[in-house]
Amino acid sequence: MEQLLESLVRGLGTGSVYALLALAFVIIYKATTVISFAQPAFMLTGAVITSYVTPAIGVLAITGLSFFVSVTIAAILTAGVALVVERLAIRPMVGKAVFTVAIITIGIDIAVRVVVNGFIGLGARPIGFPWGLDRVELLGLDVQIRHLVMMGTVAVVVAALFWFFQRTRWGLAMRAAAFDQEAAMTQGVSVGGVFALSWGMAGALAAIAGSLLATGAGVDRQLWLVALVALPAIILGGLDSLEGAVVGGLAVGVVESLVGTYQRDFAPWLGDNFAVVSPYVLMLVVLLAKPYGIFGTAEVRRV
Amino acid sequence: MELRNKRRAGAVGLAVLALVATGCRGGDSGGEAGGVDAPGVTSEPCPEAVNEDNGCIYLGTISDLTQGPFAPLGVPITEAQEAFWARVNEEGGIGGYDIDVTEYVRDNLYNPETHAQVYNEIEPDVLALAQTLGSPTTLAILSQMENNDVVGAPASWTSLWGFEDNILESGASYCVEGMNVVDYFVENEGIASVMAVGYPGDFGGDAAAGAEIAAGERNIDFTNVETAPGQEAQAGAISQIVRENPDLVLLSVGPTETAVIVGQAAAQGYTGQFVGTAPTWNPALLQSPAAPALEQLFVHSGPWGSFSSDTDGHAAMREAIGEVDQPNDGYTSGWAWSYPLKAALEEWLEGDYDKTRAGLVEAIGNLETVDFEGMLPEEAGDRTGENDIFKQTVLSDVDPEAAAGLTIREDFFTGPTAEAYEFEGACFEG
């Protein structure tokens, strides 16, 4: 039982990071109807910035403060990079086929990652996470502090996001633009501004996710691959649902962790690496029952 | 009729142009360069030649330079090889030729298809490959290399290379490492169980095969666990290590995965021994959260001593590459891998061989020793025997004070399993 619960906590920890990444994908999708494949690059960018900023502000001696300040700075700077990319490469493509824009985001992803790789150097960069792999006992369970930090961070971010969308003018504008762009424009909503804001927010979320992920072993050039796990999370949660992104991310994290822990005992014929495949299996199972994901909006076509 | 004549004249003109263009290709000297009739050899000096009177031999490099998983090794390997051949040129070159390894450098992204594509691009213009990084990638071009009589220094240690005449391997394979590691820890630590944890394929598979052979010889328990690349993909392997609690875990993964597995298994209470094969280590791991666990539980096995080892070759390497931001055994490996090709070029150009690529292949088959300047024993370069597999391994401890974080624990040794084992083919055949 203890092992099961500990595996569950690990899954919720990494699932929280997947949730942040999934939120980033969904925010852009809702605003622009494009899946941005540039998110892995922004995730890497944020983690690399954190790895440079944390030691630079190491004078802040309070445990964890320098890390969290660094993550905040990384989120802001990465949002800036995302805004620039959106203005230069995406905005001119408004009105073009969604497929074309999605392909452009793949190019952006590769280009940004090649540049960022140059700042990583020849090995993994330490992220300056104050607790390393330390563990604490919580309700009788042996739990890594970093997983608790991941869960706490995503709780704060999700709360802030929901407040933003429900209570602010820009949040309302984004919801209006996501619902009907032309109608929103007639009401004075700047759709261009909504596009830019969605990219900026997604960049910031990806930066936070990357920084948290790197607390395990630092930032290396392959860290970006983790962002791909967010894709089954958003599909099973619902491509246009913020709630779905959170639930999908957590579900993927938990399933991955439980399969990693138990599959070799209960289903060894599935091979050694089935945990890696499990998010996609989960996605398929959910889609069979709910073709638009758990929280996705069903598309209605009149013929 | 006039039109037909014009067409004929045009065709002849094009043919002449084609012949001229072919003759002008850097790769086809046509005997112009001192009787050498091999692609990639010219009587013209190299670009930015050290010795203006020398001809030029172009060597290709296909490495993982930007996006692939082994770029942190591929970049320093390539830099070290540039430094190695620059030193050769500064010492006068070989047989009247300078060596150029900078003109034909290509990125394989650690992708076999890309590797084959860039090989086809540069093959007509190079004599040989100073580097072909990766086992699956090199396998993708091996038959073409054989057809073209192109030889290459690998940047990998799979046991298959011992059976390929066109691959100029250096040092012991992952399979031999696996055997020697098990033998060493049975004899010195009395281990009774070993678990191999590695990537699927000929990196993890080759090391696991060697460990399994030695475990069988020593009559100890053996388990093999395959794990995928990625920080968050290690939960299964960690859980298996903690639950089965083997005395020894042989890792064949990347450095980041090493940090995750060692750090988190230790955090979950595992106190046994980890040994990582050559590519598992990067000194940056000493800055990772896993550093305390690595210092306590991890030993590195490799084909030669680490960056700061005390040999003439290591010293020459350190001097040639100069100050680097981060000492890294990619440099060490790139330097060590270059010696056999240097010896082969000397043998070919100075000996009684056809001055063609085929002649170079023949010259390689006659190499009895290679002067590695102490980085490896000279017999590691023996390619004359029926079974010329080199079987010696170096073990190193984690040492934060050492330049690349490793100091030698056990210098070149061969365990009884590898000593007695008759290699008749690759240990791993995927």
PDB file of all heavy atoms in Angstrom, chain A residues 14 117 122 124 126 135 144 146 218 220-222 260-261 264-265 272-273, chain B residues 66-68 72 225-228 231-232 236 240 243 256 264 267 282 284 287:
ATOM      1  N   THR A  14       5.057  14.637 -11.268  1.00  0.00           N
ATOM      2  CA  THR A  14       5.414  14.829 -12.684  1.00  0.00           C
ATOM      3  C   THR A  14       4.168  15.186 -13.488  1.00  0.00           C
ATOM      4  O   THR A  14       4.243  15.974 -14.440  1.00  0.00           O
ATOM      5  CB  THR A  14       6.072  13.565 -13.280  1.00  0.00           C
ATOM      6  OG1 THR A  14       5.270  12.443 -12.947  1.00  0.00           O
ATOM      7  CG2 THR A  14       7.455  13.351 -12.753  1.00  0.00           C
ATOM      8  N   ASN A 117      20.597  25.297 -27.036  1.00  0.00           N
ATOM      9  CA  ASN A 117      21.583  24.242 -26.766  1.00  0.00           C
ATOM     10  C   ASN A 117      22.984  24.810 -26.572  1.00  0.00           C
ATOM     11  O   ASN A 117      23.783  24.275 -25.800  1.00  0.00           O
ATOM     12  CB  ASN A 117      21.600  23.217 -27.910  1.00  0.00           C
ATOM     13  CG  ASN A 117      20.459  22.227 -27.806  1.00  0.00           C
ATOM     14  OD1 ASN A 117      19.833  22.104 -26.754  1.00  0.00           O
ATOM     15  ND2 ASN A 117      20.177  21.529 -28.888  1.00  0.00           N
ATOM     16  N   LEU A 122      28.356  21.350 -22.644  1.00  0.00           N
ATOM     17  CA  LEU A 122      28.654  19.945 -22.892  1.00  0.00           C
ATOM     18  C   LEU A 122      28.006  18.986 -21.905  1.00  0.00           C
ATOM     19  O   LEU A 122      28.146  17.786 -22.025  1.00  0.00           O
ATOM     20  CB  LEU A 122      30.166  19.720 -22.880  1.00  0.00           C
ATOM     21  CG  LEU A 122      30.940  20.471 -23.960  1.00  0.00           C
ATOM     22  CD1 LEU A 122      32.421  20.186 -23.848  1.00  0.00           C
ATOM     23  CD2 LEU A 122      30.435  20.093 -25.333  1.00  0.00           C
ATOM     24  N   ALA A 124      24.875  18.501 -18.442  1.00  0.00           N
ATOM     25  CA  ALA A 124      23.649  19.008 -17.852  1.00  0.00           C
ATOM     26  C   ALA A 124      23.974  20.202 -16.956  1.00  0.00           C
ATOM     27  O   ALA A 124      24.957  20.175 -16.216  1.00  0.00           O
ATOM     28  CB  ALA A 124      22.988  17.910 -17.036  1.00  0.00           C
ATOM     29  N   PRO A 126      23.191  22.494 -13.739  1.00  0.00           N
ATOM     30  CA  PRO A 126      22.414  22.433 -12.491  1.00  0.00           C
ATOM     31  C   PRO A 126      21.415  23.576 -12.430  1.00  0.00           C
ATOM     32  O   PRO A 126      21.672  24.670 -12.926  1.00  0.00           O
ATOM     33  CB  PRO A 126      23.481  22.567 -11.409  1.00  0.00           C
ATOM     34  CG  PRO A 126      24.632  23.237 -12.079  1.00  0.00           C
ATOM     35  CD  PRO A 126      24.598  22.812 -13.515  1.00  0.00           C
ATOM     36  N   ARG A 135      14.123  13.956   0.549  1.00  0.00           N
ATOM     37  CA  ARG A 135      12.783  13.416   0.760  1.00  0.00           C
ATOM     38  C   ARG A 135      12.310  13.799   2.155  1.00  0.00           C
ATOM     39  O   ARG A 135      13.115  14.072   3.042  1.00  0.00           O
ATOM     40  CB  ARG A 135      12.808  11.886   0.622  1.00  0.00           C
ATOM     41  CG  ARG A 135      13.437  11.430  -0.675  1.00  0.00           C
ATOM     42  CD  ARG A 135      13.675   9.940  -0.693  1.00  0.00           C
ATOM     43  NE  ARG A 135      12.454   9.208  -0.931  1.00  0.00           N
ATOM     44  CZ  ARG A 135      11.941   8.986  -2.128  1.00  0.00           C
ATOM     45  NH1 ARG A 135      12.565   9.447  -3.187  1.00  0.00           N
ATOM     46  NH2 ARG A 135      10.828   8.321  -2.283  1.00  0.00           N
ATOM     47  N   GLN A 144       9.471  12.797  -2.236  1.00  0.00           N
ATOM     48  CA  GLN A 144      10.486  13.769  -2.658  1.00  0.00           C
ATOM     49  C   GLN A 144       9.930  15.187  -2.557  1.00  0.00           C
ATOM     50  O   GLN A 144       8.808  15.454  -3.011  1.00  0.00           O
ATOM     51  CB  GLN A 144      10.894  13.507  -4.110  1.00  0.00           C
ATOM     52  CG  GLN A 144      11.875  12.366  -4.269  1.00  0.00           C
ATOM     53  CD  GLN A 144      12.425  12.290  -5.686  1.00  0.00           C
ATOM     54  OE1 GLN A 144      12.644  13.300  -6.334  1.00  0.00           O
ATOM     55  NE2 GLN A 144      12.642  11.078  -6.146  1.00  0.00           N
ATOM     56  N   ARG A 146      10.779  17.702  -4.222  1.00  0.00           N
ATOM     57  CA  ARG A 146      10.560  18.335  -5.532  1.00  0.00           C
ATOM     58  C   ARG A 146       9.171  18.015  -6.080  1.00  0.00           C
ATOM     59  O   ARG A 146       8.558  18.830  -6.757  1.00  0.00           O
ATOM     60  CB  ARG A 146      11.657  17.957  -6.517  1.00  0.00           C
ATOM     61  CG  ARG A 146      11.619  16.567  -7.037  1.00  0.00           C
ATOM     62  CD  ARG A 146      12.875  16.237  -7.826  1.00  0.00           C
ATOM     63  NE  ARG A 146      12.661  15.029  -8.629  1.00  0.00           N
ATOM     64  CZ  ARG A 146      12.448  15.036  -9.931  1.00  0.00           C
ATOM     65  NH1 ARG A 146      12.444  16.169 -10.597  1.00  0.00           N
ATOM     66  NH2 ARG A 146      12.249  13.921 -10.596  1.00  0.00           N
ATOM     67  N   GLY A 218      19.037  18.264 -13.650  1.00  0.00           N
ATOM     68  CA  GLY A 218      19.589  19.406 -14.367  1.00  0.00           C
ATOM     69  C   GLY A 218      19.019  19.517 -15.776  1.00  0.00           C
ATOM     70  O   GLY A 218      18.197  18.712 -16.205  1.00  0.00           O
ATOM     71  N   ASP A 220      19.495  19.268 -19.634  1.00  0.00           N
ATOM     72  CA  ASP A 220      20.314  18.785 -20.737  1.00  0.00           C
ATOM     73  C   ASP A 220      19.550  18.967 -22.045  1.00  0.00           C
ATOM     74  O   ASP A 220      18.402  19.394 -22.046  1.00  0.00           O
ATOM     75  CB  ASP A 220      20.757  17.330 -20.527  1.00  0.00           C
ATOM     76  CG  ASP A 220      19.620  16.345 -20.679  1.00  0.00           C
ATOM     77  OD1 ASP A 220      18.468  16.777 -20.835  1.00  0.00           O
ATOM     78  OD2 ASP A 220      19.876  15.138 -20.640  1.00  0.00           O
ATOM     79  N   ARG A 221      20.221  18.648 -23.139  1.00  0.00           N
ATOM     80  CA  ARG A 221      19.641  18.943 -24.459  1.00  0.00           C
ATOM     81  C   ARG A 221      18.411  18.106 -24.775  1.00  0.00           C
ATOM     82  O   ARG A 221      17.703  18.405 -25.718  1.00  0.00           O
ATOM     83  CB  ARG A 221      20.703  18.716 -25.543  1.00  0.00           C
ATOM     84  CG  ARG A 221      21.869  19.677 -25.421  1.00  0.00           C
ATOM     85  CD  ARG A 221      22.951  19.319 -26.429  1.00  0.00           C
ATOM     86  NE  ARG A 221      24.112  20.177 -26.235  1.00  0.00           N
ATOM     87  CZ  ARG A 221      24.781  20.756 -27.213  1.00  0.00           C
ATOM     88  NH1 ARG A 221      24.412  20.575 -28.455  1.00  0.00           N
ATOM     89  NH2 ARG A 221      25.828  21.508 -26.970  1.00  0.00           N
ATOM     90  N   GLN A 222      18.210  17.037 -24.029  1.00  0.00           N
ATOM     91  CA  GLN A 222      17.081  16.158 -24.318  1.00  0.00           C
ATOM     92  C   GLN A 222      15.852  16.476 -23.477  1.00  0.00           C
ATOM     93  O   GLN A 222      14.821  15.817 -23.600  1.00  0.00           O
ATOM     94  CB  GLN A 222      17.498  14.702 -24.088  1.00  0.00           C
ATOM     95  CG  GLN A 222      18.644  14.254 -24.969  1.00  0.00           C
ATOM     96  CD  GLN A 222      18.332  14.429 -26.433  1.00  0.00           C
ATOM     97  OE1 GLN A 222      17.372  13.881 -26.946  1.00  0.00           O
ATOM     98  NE2 GLN A 222      19.141  15.231 -27.119  1.00  0.00           N
ATOM     99  N   GLY A 260       5.075   2.259 -14.502  1.00  0.00           N
ATOM    100  CA  GLY A 260       6.511   2.079 -14.278  1.00  0.00           C
ATOM    101  C   GLY A 260       6.802   1.246 -13.052  1.00  0.00           C
ATOM    102  O   GLY A 260       7.739   0.449 -13.015  1.00  0.00           O
ATOM    103  N   THR A 261       5.989   1.410 -12.031  1.00  0.00           N
ATOM    104  CA  THR A 261       6.228   0.695 -10.777  1.00  0.00           C
ATOM    105  C   THR A 261       5.755  -0.751 -10.840  1.00  0.00           C
ATOM    106  O   THR A 261       6.424  -1.646 -10.314  1.00  0.00           O
ATOM    107  CB  THR A 261       5.501   1.409  -9.613  1.00  0.00           C
ATOM    108  OG1 THR A 261       5.937   2.773  -9.590  1.00  0.00           O
ATOM    109  CG2 THR A 261       5.827   0.769  -8.277  1.00  0.00           C
ATOM    110  N   ARG A 264       6.126  -4.416 -14.620  1.00  0.00           N
ATOM    111  CA  ARG A 264       7.048  -5.554 -14.733  1.00  0.00           C
ATOM    112  C   ARG A 264       6.585  -6.745 -13.892  1.00  0.00           C
ATOM    113  O   ARG A 264       6.870  -7.892 -14.210  1.00  0.00           O
ATOM    114  CB  ARG A 264       8.456  -5.137 -14.317  1.00  0.00           C
ATOM    115  CG  ARG A 264       9.200  -4.357 -15.363  1.00  0.00           C
ATOM    116  CD  ARG A 264      10.631  -4.081 -14.913  1.00  0.00           C
ATOM    117  NE  ARG A 264      11.396  -3.392 -15.927  1.00  0.00           N
ATOM    118  CZ  ARG A 264      11.449  -2.083 -16.079  1.00  0.00           C
ATOM    119  NH1 ARG A 264      10.739  -1.307 -15.283  1.00  0.00           N
ATOM    120  NH2 ARG A 264      12.195  -1.534 -17.013  1.00  0.00           N
ATOM    121  N   ASP A 265       5.851  -6.449 -12.802  1.00  0.00           N
ATOM    122  CA  ASP A 265       5.359  -7.545 -11.945  1.00  0.00           C
ATOM    123  C   ASP A 265       4.110  -8.189 -12.518  1.00  0.00           C
ATOM    124  O   ASP A 265       3.967  -9.402 -12.524  1.00  0.00           O
ATOM    125  CB  ASP A 265       5.043  -7.008 -10.540  1.00  0.00           C
ATOM    126  CG  ASP A 265       6.296  -6.584  -9.815  1.00  0.00           C
ATOM    127  OD1 ASP A 265       7.378  -7.032 -10.229  1.00  0.00           O
ATOM    128  OD2 ASP A 265       6.204  -5.795  -8.857  1.00  0.00           O
ATOM    129  N   ASP A 272      10.002  -3.998 -21.133  1.00  0.00           N
ATOM    130  CA  ASP A 272      10.564  -3.182 -20.049  1.00  0.00           C
ATOM    131  C   ASP A 272      10.153  -1.726 -20.082  1.00  0.00           C
ATOM    132  O   ASP A 272      10.297  -1.017 -19.105  1.00  0.00           O
ATOM    133  CB  ASP A 272      12.104  -3.245 -20.109  1.00  0.00           C
ATOM    134  CG  ASP A 272      12.614  -4.557 -19.550  1.00  0.00           C
ATOM    135  OD1 ASP A 272      11.901  -5.174 -18.752  1.00  0.00           O
ATOM    136  OD2 ASP A 272      13.733  -4.957 -19.928  1.00  0.00           O
ATOM    137  N   ASN A 273       9.702  -1.253 -21.226  1.00  0.00           N
ATOM    138  CA  ASN A 273       9.514   0.200 -21.366  1.00  0.00           C
ATOM    139  C   ASN A 273       8.073   0.605 -21.600  1.00  0.00           C
ATOM    140  O   ASN A 273       7.810   1.628 -22.214  1.00  0.00           O
ATOM    141  CB  ASN A 273      10.371   0.709 -22.525  1.00  0.00           C
ATOM    142  CG  ASN A 273      11.816   0.788 -22.136  1.00  0.00           C
ATOM    143  OD1 ASN A 273      12.143   1.402 -21.123  1.00  0.00           O
ATOM    144  ND2 ASN A 273      12.672   0.144 -22.892  1.00  0.00           N
TER     145      ASN A 273
ATOM    146  N   THR B  66      24.485  18.874 -32.918  1.00  0.00           N
ATOM    147  CA  THR B  66      23.551  19.911 -32.459  1.00  0.00           C
ATOM    148  C   THR B  66      22.407  19.366 -31.616  1.00  0.00           C
ATOM    149  O   THR B  66      22.299  19.669 -30.437  1.00  0.00           O
ATOM    150  CB  THR B  66      22.946  20.675 -33.653  1.00  0.00           C
ATOM    151  OG1 THR B  66      22.383  19.729 -34.563  1.00  0.00           O
ATOM    152  CG2 THR B  66      23.980  21.519 -34.356  1.00  0.00           C
ATOM    153  N   GLN B  67      21.568  18.535 -32.212  1.00  0.00           N
ATOM    154  CA  GLN B  67      20.316  18.182 -31.539  1.00  0.00           C
ATOM    155  C   GLN B  67      20.265  16.784 -30.968  1.00  0.00           C
ATOM    156  O   GLN B  67      19.364  16.456 -30.199  1.00  0.00           O
ATOM    157  CB  GLN B  67      19.169  18.283 -32.539  1.00  0.00           C
ATOM    158  CG  GLN B  67      18.896  19.654 -33.041  1.00  0.00           C
ATOM    159  CD  GLN B  67      17.697  19.604 -33.956  1.00  0.00           C
ATOM    160  OE1 GLN B  67      16.618  19.195 -33.564  1.00  0.00           O
ATOM    161  NE2 GLN B  67      17.873  19.988 -35.190  1.00  0.00           N
ATOM    162  N   GLY B  68      21.160  15.910 -31.376  1.00  0.00           N
ATOM    163  CA  GLY B  68      21.082  14.512 -30.977  1.00  0.00           C
ATOM    164  C   GLY B  68      21.448  14.291 -29.519  1.00  0.00           C
ATOM    165  O   GLY B  68      21.981  15.178 -28.856  1.00  0.00           O
ATOM    166  N   PRO B  72      26.637  16.330 -26.541  1.00  0.00           N
ATOM    167  CA  PRO B  72      27.636  16.711 -25.531  1.00  0.00           C
ATOM    168  C   PRO B  72      28.929  15.915 -25.626  1.00  0.00           C
ATOM    169  O   PRO B  72      29.953  16.322 -25.087  1.00  0.00           O
ATOM    170  CB  PRO B  72      26.922  16.421 -24.206  1.00  0.00           C
ATOM    171  CG  PRO B  72      25.469  16.514 -24.530  1.00  0.00           C
ATOM    172  CD  PRO B  72      25.345  15.964 -25.919  1.00  0.00           C
ATOM    173  N   VAL B 225      17.452  -5.182 -17.532  1.00  0.00           N
ATOM    174  CA  VAL B 225      16.332  -4.241 -17.563  1.00  0.00           C
ATOM    175  C   VAL B 225      16.623  -3.200 -18.634  1.00  0.00           C
ATOM    176  O   VAL B 225      17.623  -2.486 -18.553  1.00  0.00           O
ATOM    177  CB  VAL B 225      16.160  -3.536 -16.190  1.00  0.00           C
ATOM    178  CG1 VAL B 225      15.087  -2.463 -16.274  1.00  0.00           C
ATOM    179  CG2 VAL B 225      15.817  -4.548 -15.115  1.00  0.00           C
ATOM    180  N   GLU B 226      15.764  -3.135 -19.626  1.00  0.00           N
ATOM    181  CA  GLU B 226      15.916  -2.088 -20.642  1.00  0.00           C
ATOM    182  C   GLU B 226      15.173  -0.846 -20.184  1.00  0.00           C
ATOM    183  O   GLU B 226      14.091  -0.946 -19.605  1.00  0.00           O
ATOM    184  CB  GLU B 226      15.351  -2.568 -21.976  1.00  0.00           C
ATOM    185  CG  GLU B 226      16.215  -3.627 -22.644  1.00  0.00           C
ATOM    186  CD  GLU B 226      15.718  -3.963 -24.027  1.00  0.00           C
ATOM    187  OE1 GLU B 226      14.602  -3.545 -24.381  1.00  0.00           O
ATOM    188  OE2 GLU B 226      16.450  -4.655 -24.758  1.00  0.00           O
ATOM    189  N   THR B 227      15.758   0.306 -20.455  1.00  0.00           N
ATOM    190  CA  THR B 227      15.103   1.553 -20.076  1.00  0.00           C
ATOM    191  C   THR B 227      15.215   2.557 -21.214  1.00  0.00           C
ATOM    192  O   THR B 227      16.198   2.547 -21.964  1.00  0.00           O
ATOM    193  CB  THR B 227      15.702   2.116 -18.769  1.00  0.00           C
ATOM    194  OG1 THR B 227      14.891   3.173 -18.299  1.00  0.00           O
ATOM    195  CG2 THR B 227      17.124   2.622 -18.968  1.00  0.00           C
ATOM    196  N   ALA B 228      14.202   3.404 -21.337  1.00  0.00           N
ATOM    197  CA  ALA B 228      14.176   4.375 -22.433  1.00  0.00           C
ATOM    198  C   ALA B 228      14.932   5.641 -22.035  1.00  0.00           C
ATOM    199  O   ALA B 228      15.068   5.927 -20.849  1.00  0.00           O
ATOM    200  CB  ALA B 228      12.731   4.720 -22.764  1.00  0.00           C
ATOM    201  N   GLN B 231      14.627  11.815 -18.619  1.00  0.00           N
ATOM    202  CA  GLN B 231      14.680  11.941 -17.163  1.00  0.00           C
ATOM    203  C   GLN B 231      13.489  11.283 -16.483  1.00  0.00           C
ATOM    204  O   GLN B 231      13.618  10.649 -15.446  1.00  0.00           O
ATOM    205  CB  GLN B 231      14.709  13.419 -16.775  1.00  0.00           C
ATOM    206  CG  GLN B 231      15.975  14.138 -17.169  1.00  0.00           C
ATOM    207  CD  GLN B 231      16.097  15.485 -16.492  1.00  0.00           C
ATOM    208  OE1 GLN B 231      15.494  15.725 -15.464  1.00  0.00           O
ATOM    209  NE2 GLN B 231      16.900  16.366 -17.053  1.00  0.00           N
ATOM    210  N   GLU B 232      12.308  11.480 -17.055  1.00  0.00           N
ATOM    211  CA  GLU B 232      11.107  11.005 -16.377  1.00  0.00           C
ATOM    212  C   GLU B 232      10.714   9.600 -16.818  1.00  0.00           C
ATOM    213  O   GLU B 232       9.639   9.126 -16.494  1.00  0.00           O
ATOM    214  CB  GLU B 232       9.951  11.987 -16.620  1.00  0.00           C
ATOM    215  CG  GLU B 232      10.236  13.405 -16.136  1.00  0.00           C
ATOM    216  CD  GLU B 232      10.586  13.470 -14.651  1.00  0.00           C
ATOM    217  OE1 GLU B 232      10.054  12.655 -13.876  1.00  0.00           O
ATOM    218  OE2 GLU B 232      11.395  14.327 -14.278  1.00  0.00           O
ATOM    219  N   GLY B 236      10.485   2.946 -13.866  1.00  0.00           N
ATOM    220  CA  GLY B 236      10.444   1.490 -13.876  1.00  0.00           C
ATOM    221  C   GLY B 236      11.785   0.889 -13.485  1.00  0.00           C
ATOM    222  O   GLY B 236      11.855  -0.035 -12.663  1.00  0.00           O
ATOM    223  N   GLN B 240      12.678  -1.270 -10.142  1.00  0.00           N
ATOM    224  CA  GLN B 240      13.239  -2.623 -10.250  1.00  0.00           C
ATOM    225  C   GLN B 240      14.523  -2.760  -9.435  1.00  0.00           C
ATOM    226  O   GLN B 240      14.743  -3.764  -8.759  1.00  0.00           O
ATOM    227  CB  GLN B 240      13.527  -2.901 -11.736  1.00  0.00           C
ATOM    228  CG  GLN B 240      13.904  -4.333 -12.039  1.00  0.00           C
ATOM    229  CD  GLN B 240      12.705  -5.123 -12.517  1.00  0.00           C
ATOM    230  OE1 GLN B 240      11.567  -4.729 -12.266  1.00  0.00           O
ATOM    231  NE2 GLN B 240      12.946  -6.223 -13.186  1.00  0.00           N
ATOM    232  N   ARG B 243      13.640  -2.720  -5.673  1.00  0.00           N
ATOM    233  CA  ARG B 243      12.923  -3.925  -5.228  1.00  0.00           C
ATOM    234  C   ARG B 243      13.819  -5.168  -5.259  1.00  0.00           C
ATOM    235  O   ARG B 243      13.843  -5.954  -4.334  1.00  0.00           O
ATOM    236  CB  ARG B 243      11.701  -4.143  -6.114  1.00  0.00           C
ATOM    237  CG  ARG B 243      10.739  -5.123  -5.489  1.00  0.00           C
ATOM    238  CD  ARG B 243       9.381  -5.113  -6.147  1.00  0.00           C
ATOM    239  NE  ARG B 243       9.076  -3.863  -6.809  1.00  0.00           N
ATOM    240  CZ  ARG B 243       8.493  -3.787  -8.001  1.00  0.00           C
ATOM    241  NH1 ARG B 243       8.176  -4.870  -8.653  1.00  0.00           N
ATOM    242  NH2 ARG B 243       8.207  -2.630  -8.529  1.00  0.00           N
ATOM    243  N   THR B 256      22.545  11.985 -18.064  1.00  0.00           N
ATOM    244  CA  THR B 256      21.402  12.482 -17.295  1.00  0.00           C
ATOM    245  C   THR B 256      20.627  11.328 -16.679  1.00  0.00           C
ATOM    246  O   THR B 256      20.210  11.397 -15.514  1.00  0.00           O
ATOM    247  CB  THR B 256      20.473  13.321 -18.189  1.00  0.00           C
ATOM    248  OG1 THR B 256      21.257  14.315 -18.825  1.00  0.00           O
ATOM    249  CG2 THR B 256      19.390  13.985 -17.376  1.00  0.00           C
ATOM    250  N   GLN B 264      18.052   8.722  -7.520  1.00  0.00           N
ATOM    251  CA  GLN B 264      16.743   8.366  -6.959  1.00  0.00           C
ATOM    252  C   GLN B 264      16.736   6.967  -6.362  1.00  0.00           C
ATOM    253  O   GLN B 264      16.025   6.721  -5.384  1.00  0.00           O
ATOM    254  CB  GLN B 264      15.679   8.517  -8.038  1.00  0.00           C
ATOM    255  CG  GLN B 264      15.687   9.924  -8.612  1.00  0.00           C
ATOM    256  CD  GLN B 264      14.303  10.473  -8.851  1.00  0.00           C
ATOM    257  OE1 GLN B 264      13.329   9.980  -8.318  1.00  0.00           O
ATOM    258  NE2 GLN B 264      14.227  11.506  -9.655  1.00  0.00           N
ATOM    259  N   ALA B 267      18.156   7.513  -3.087  1.00  0.00           N
ATOM    260  CA  ALA B 267      17.195   8.200  -2.223  1.00  0.00           C
ATOM    261  C   ALA B 267      16.103   7.247  -1.729  1.00  0.00           C
ATOM    262  O   ALA B 267      15.517   7.458  -0.670  1.00  0.00           O
ATOM    263  CB  ALA B 267      16.564   9.364  -2.984  1.00  0.00           C
ATOM    264  N   ASN B 282      29.573  12.198 -17.246  1.00  0.00           N
ATOM    265  CA  ASN B 282      29.882  13.565 -17.643  1.00  0.00           C
ATOM    266  C   ASN B 282      30.204  14.300 -16.342  1.00  0.00           C
ATOM    267  O   ASN B 282      29.447  14.180 -15.378  1.00  0.00           O
ATOM    268  CB  ASN B 282      28.666  14.196 -18.337  1.00  0.00           C
ATOM    269  CG  ASN B 282      28.992  15.539 -18.947  1.00  0.00           C
ATOM    270  OD1 ASN B 282      29.641  16.368 -18.314  1.00  0.00           O
ATOM    271  ND2 ASN B 282      28.565  15.746 -20.174  1.00  0.00           N
ATOM    272  N   ALA B 284      29.707  17.102 -15.428  1.00  0.00           N
ATOM    273  CA  ALA B 284      28.627  17.998 -14.983  1.00  0.00           C
ATOM    274  C   ALA B 284      27.722  17.304 -13.972  1.00  0.00           C
ATOM    275  O   ALA B 284      27.003  17.968 -13.215  1.00  0.00           O
ATOM    276  CB  ALA B 284      27.816  18.470 -16.184  1.00  0.00           C
ATOM    277  N   GLN B 287      27.593  18.413 -10.404  1.00  0.00           N
ATOM    278  CA  GLN B 287      26.805  19.583  -9.997  1.00  0.00           C
ATOM    279  C   GLN B 287      25.331  19.220  -9.850  1.00  0.00           C
ATOM    280  O   GLN B 287      24.503  20.069  -9.537  1.00  0.00           O
ATOM    281  CB  GLN B 287      26.918  20.693 -11.044  1.00  0.00           C
ATOM    282  CG  GLN B 287      28.340  21.054 -11.451  1.00  0.00           C
ATOM    283  CD  GLN B 287      29.175  21.485 -10.271  1.00  0.00           C
ATOM    284  OE1 GLN B 287      28.694  22.242  -9.428  1.00  0.00           O
ATOM    285  NE2 GLN B 287      30.404  20.990 -10.183  1.00  0.00           N
TER     286      GLN B 287
END
